[in-house]
Each structure stands twice: as structure tokens, then as C-alpha cells.
Amino acid sequence: MAHTFRSLAEPNYRHWFAGALISNTGTWMQRTAQDWIVLTSLTNSNASALGVTMALQMGPQLIMFPFAGALADRFSKRKLLIVTQALLGTVGLILFALVVTGLIELWHVYVLALVLGILATLDNPARQAFVSELVGERLLPNAVSLNSASFNGARMIGPGVAGVLTALVGAAPVFLISGLGFAATLFVLVRLDRSRLHSSGRRGGGGILGGFRYLRRRPDIAIVLAVLFLVATFGFNFNIYTATMAHVEFGKDASGFGLLNSIMAIGSVAGALASANREKPRLRFVFGAAGGFGLAVGLASLIANYYLFAASLVLVGFASLTMMTSANAYVQTTTPAHYRGRVMAIYAAVVMGGTPIGAPLAGWVADSFGPRMAMVVGATSGFVAFGVGLLWMIVSKNLRLSYDPRSRIRLHISYEGRP
């Protein structure tokens, strides 16, 4: 157990972990309340409107990510995070003010989702790359996994609390808690012991497009990003799956919706902690988990009982986080520090930037053919991604069958390239 949590021995990371857990809980509460009021208060169960909201929130990744990555490699990540975290908290407080005054309209949510997406685009690569400064290169894979555990631990708590609060007293208190939650990370960033930071001292060269130039020399990272794009775009539309299944298929209220997200987060935390226990991230975990994700979502789409459906989401969460955490750790640990901000910006764009395509598609499928068919689309993305990864491994590792007439068919493997 101590091996799993070894990064917490670093005081700076320990404080960051605690602050991030608080602010991430508020973020998940805000997402749950936002999605629920769009689906039930501002529209008449319109999953397409929910998809548009998600697209606006994730869309800036497709446009701004090279600029965001260059900022993270060029300037102090700590100072950049102080600005972005403060502004992200402000968005939650604006939503609180609009809801509590009764002025909230759908277009307000659209605009604030876009603003949130812009801020998150600037925040994400700096936050991802800042982890190596907190723990150093040796503990980086473990810290990346614990970050995912923290994020999904918050996901386990936040939606459930948000669902109960929204059902009992409305969405306004949820947005207030979310906005104030960012004060935790701001406090940690201001009080960090800067003498213990593991800065490389080298600024990123190659300009805004330096990350793309670097990836031209790294086909292994390129195939990881391709697999992630397939699953993240067409499979990771969890809010649409859980909201429409809870509301349309099972007739549940906001607390029932929040419970589904919290239960899925149980599997996500388990997947992140399992990854934290590994010394070295492996590509086979990325590709295998993509296939496992497809299988888990496909099985969940067939379940007719609400509680059995909720239980099946544990497997969905486990597979998705095993894939994401293994991919994140592999990309970060095999990328030099002075390129890491730009490469992680590309990573974030791949993971979240496909949402403007996938979320409206998932919403349209759910509206036209039902929520279960939307989940079938997500399952298919996992199977396709697994096939792409397997094909790449066969080609890149020269995997082939050879026949020996004196004995039997044998599998011959030779490998050229990176481990």
C-alpha cells in the first residue's frame, strides 16, 4: 500500500494532492448540476442541447492547444496555474449568481461553457506538466496515477453530493461550492515550498509547433494519441449516457443521475490506483484497456435494471481510467521536460477536443434511437481502438507466424524501436 502512495512522501505533492481533491470535487459538482439543469430545466429532456454544451466546453482544445502548450513550456507553470484556477472559480460563482437570481437561460450556459473551455485549455498542459516539478522524474508515473485517483475520487463524491443538493434545494448551492472550491488549489500554489520544486531550468525551444515536430520522431506516442482520440471522441460521452439513461430509461431524478456518476467513479479510482502500483507504464495496458472499455460499455447497454446498470459502470470506469492513466504516464515519462507542456497540450486536445464531434453525435443518437444505442456507438469505439493498437504492435514489432515442419507453428517476435 505504501508503494502505491509513494509520491505523497513529497510535501509539495502531498499538499497539491489535497488541494486538487477539494477543487476537483467542486468541479464535478458543477458539471453534474450544469448538465442536469440543461436537460431538465432549460430544455425538455433535450440530449442534443447537452451535447452542444459539452462541445462548447471542449471545443477550444481544437484551436488553442498549441498556444496553451507553448505557454506552459515558456513561462512559470505555477504562476500560470494561479491565474487559470482563479478564473475557473469565477465561472462557478457567475453560474451561482445567475441561478440564484432566476436569470439563467440556456445561452448563458452555452457562453460560460465556452469560457470554461478556454480557461481549461490554458490550464490543462500547465497542470499536467507541473506534476514533474512537484515530484521529479522518478516518481512521475506514480504521481500521474495518483492525480487520476484524486480526480476520480472527487468524481465519486461530487456527482452524488450535487445530485442530492440539486434535488433538495436546487443547483445554486452546488455552483457556489464549486466556485469556492478553487480556493484550495490557489492556497496550495501560493504556499508551495519553491526550493523543493524539480524544475529542469530549460525553456522549450521550437516555438508553438515544436510539439508536432517532436511527435514526428515518436510514432509510439502518435499511435497512443490515435487510440485515445477514437475512444475519447466516440466513447467518453459519459454525461450523456448516464443522464439519458437515468432520466429516459429509468425515470430517475437528479440524485439518481448523480449516483450513476459516483458509482462509475469507484471503478475509475480502482483503475487509477492499480496503475499507481506499476513501476512503468506499458503500451499493452493502453490498448488492452481500450478493448476492455468497449466490452464493458457494450454489456452495460444491455442491462434493463437500474441498480445492475449502476453496478456495471464500475467496470466501465475501471477500463477507461486504466487506459487513460497508462497513456498519460507513458506520454509524460517518455517526453523530455522541455517539450512536455506542448506534447501534453496535444494530448489534452486529442482527449477533449473530439468532444465537439462526439458529444453532439451521442446526443443525436440518444434522441433518435435511444440512450442504449448511443452506448453501443461508444462500445464500438473501444473495439476499433483495440484493433488499431493491436495492428500497430504487430507491424512495429514484426510479429509474425513461422512454420517449422519438424515441430509446429511458432510465434516469432522481433522488435525494433522504443521499449
Side-chain angles (χ1 to χ4, degrees):
M1 184 63 71
H3 183 73
T4 300
F5 296 96
R6 57 193 181 276
S7 293
L8 296 180
E10 283 281 343
N12 276 341
Y13 181 74
R14 186 165 61 247
H15 299 151
W16 171 262
F17 182 90
L21 181 61
I22 295 171
S23 62
N24 285 335
T25 300
T27 298
W28 278 108
M29 291 176 67
Q30 178 177 318
R31 288 185 181 183
T32 302
Q34 173 187 282
D35 293 344
W36 192 254
I37 64 171
V38 167
L39 193 65
T40 63
S41 300
L42 302 178
T43 70
N44 185 22
S45 302
N46 190 332
S48 296
L50 185 57
V52 170
T53 303
M54 292 176 63
L56 289 170
Q57 193 162 316
M58 304 301 180
Q61 292 282 353
L62 291 175
I63 301 171
M64 295 179 58
F65 71 89
F67 175 70
L71 281 180
D73 280 337
R74 181 69 181 85
F75 297 104
S76 165
K77 297 174 182 64
R78 173 181 162 274
K79 292 179 180 178
L80 182 59
L81 287 170
I82 288 174
V83 174
T84 55
Q85 292 286 299
L87 293 175
L88 285 166
T90 302
V91 172
L93 296 178
I94 292 172
L95 279 167
F96 162 72
L98 288 171
V99 173
V100 79
T101 58
L103 298 176
I104 188 76
E105 295 182 17
L106 184 59
W107 72 268
H108 291 139
V109 177
Y110 284 166
V111 170
L112 289 173
L114 179 61
V115 172
L116 197 67
I118 293 170
L119 293 173
T121 300
L122 298 174
D123 178 87
N124 196 295
R127 181 163 38 84
Q128 298 264 16
F130 188 56
V131 176
S132 64
E133 295 189 12
L134 292 170
V135 300
E137 298 294 327
R138 183 178 63 86
L139 291 173
L140 182 57
N142 178 256
V144 168
S145 298
L146 291 184
N147 269 4
S148 294
S150 169
F151 184 74
N152 287 280
R155 182 179 171 187
M156 188 164 51
I157 301 167
V161 174
V164 171
L165 282 177
T166 301
L168 293 177
V169 296
V174 177
F175 294 128
L176 177 62
I177 293 170
S178 171
L180 295 177
F182 283 94
T185 49
L186 286 172
F187 179 78
V188 171
L189 287 165
V190 171
R191 297 296 300 273
L192 278 177
D193 183 355
R194 280 172 274 176
S195 67
R196 296 182 65 93
L197 292 178
H198 301 258
S199 177
S200 67
R202 182 177 176 184
R203 299 297 184 188
I208 290 177
L209 300 180
F212 290 104
R213 297 189 185 100
Y214 175 74
L215 289 182
R216 289 174 61 185
R217 308 194 299 269
R218 293 295 306 277
D220 54 325
I221 293 182
I223 197 66
V224 168
L225 296 179
V227 165
L228 284 175
F229 177 79
L230 283 170
V231 180
T233 299
F234 302 106
F236 282 4
N237 297 299
F238 299 128
N239 284 10
I240 292 176
Y241 302 155
T242 54
T244 54
M245 288 293 287
H247 187 59
V248 177
E249 288 289 322
F250 300 117
K252 299 295 181 179
D253 61 10
S255 60
F257 167 48
L259 179 63
L260 292 181
N261 285 318
S262 294
I263 288 177
M264 186 164 67
I266 295 173
S268 300
V269 171
L273 292 178
S275 298
N277 201 41
R278 303 186 192 109
E279 288 289 345
K280 185 177 180 181
R282 303 281 186 182
L283 288 179
R284 63 174 178 264
F285 289 120
V286 180
F287 304 144
F293 171 81
L295 182 62
V297 175
L299 291 175
S301 70
L302 302 175
I303 298 175
N305 178 274
Y306 171 78
Y307 295 102
L308 290 177
F309 175 79
S312 73
L313 295 180
V314 174
L315 293 177
V316 175
F318 184 89
S320 61
L321 253 292
T322 298
M323 184 184 74
M324 290 289 293
T325 304
S326 299
N328 190 309
Y330 182 85
V331 173
Q332 287 214 54
T333 55
T334 62
T335 299
H338 56 287
Y339 279 110
R340 194 168 288 146
R342 282 165 291 179
V343 171
M344 292 313 296
I346 297 171
Y347 177 97
V350 165
V351 172
M352 294 184 284
T355 302
I357 303 169
L361 174 64
W364 175 78
V365 172
D367 284 336
S368 303
F369 305 102
R372 296 183 188 278
M373 188 55 65
M375 295 187 70
V376 170
V377 173
T380 303
S381 72
F383 294 134
V384 173
F386 172 74
V388 169
L390 180 62
L391 179 62
W392 181 83
M393 292 189 75
I394 292 172
V395 172
S396 67
K397 296 190 175 186
N398 298 318
L399 188 66
R400 62 183 185 273
L401 289 172
S402 59
Y403 179 69
D404 184 349
R406 294 171 298 178
S407 55
R408 63 182 68 181
I409 295 176
R410 293 180 178 177
L411 189 66
H412 177 77
I413 304 174
S414 62
Y415 180 70
E416 299 176 0
R418 295 185 60 87

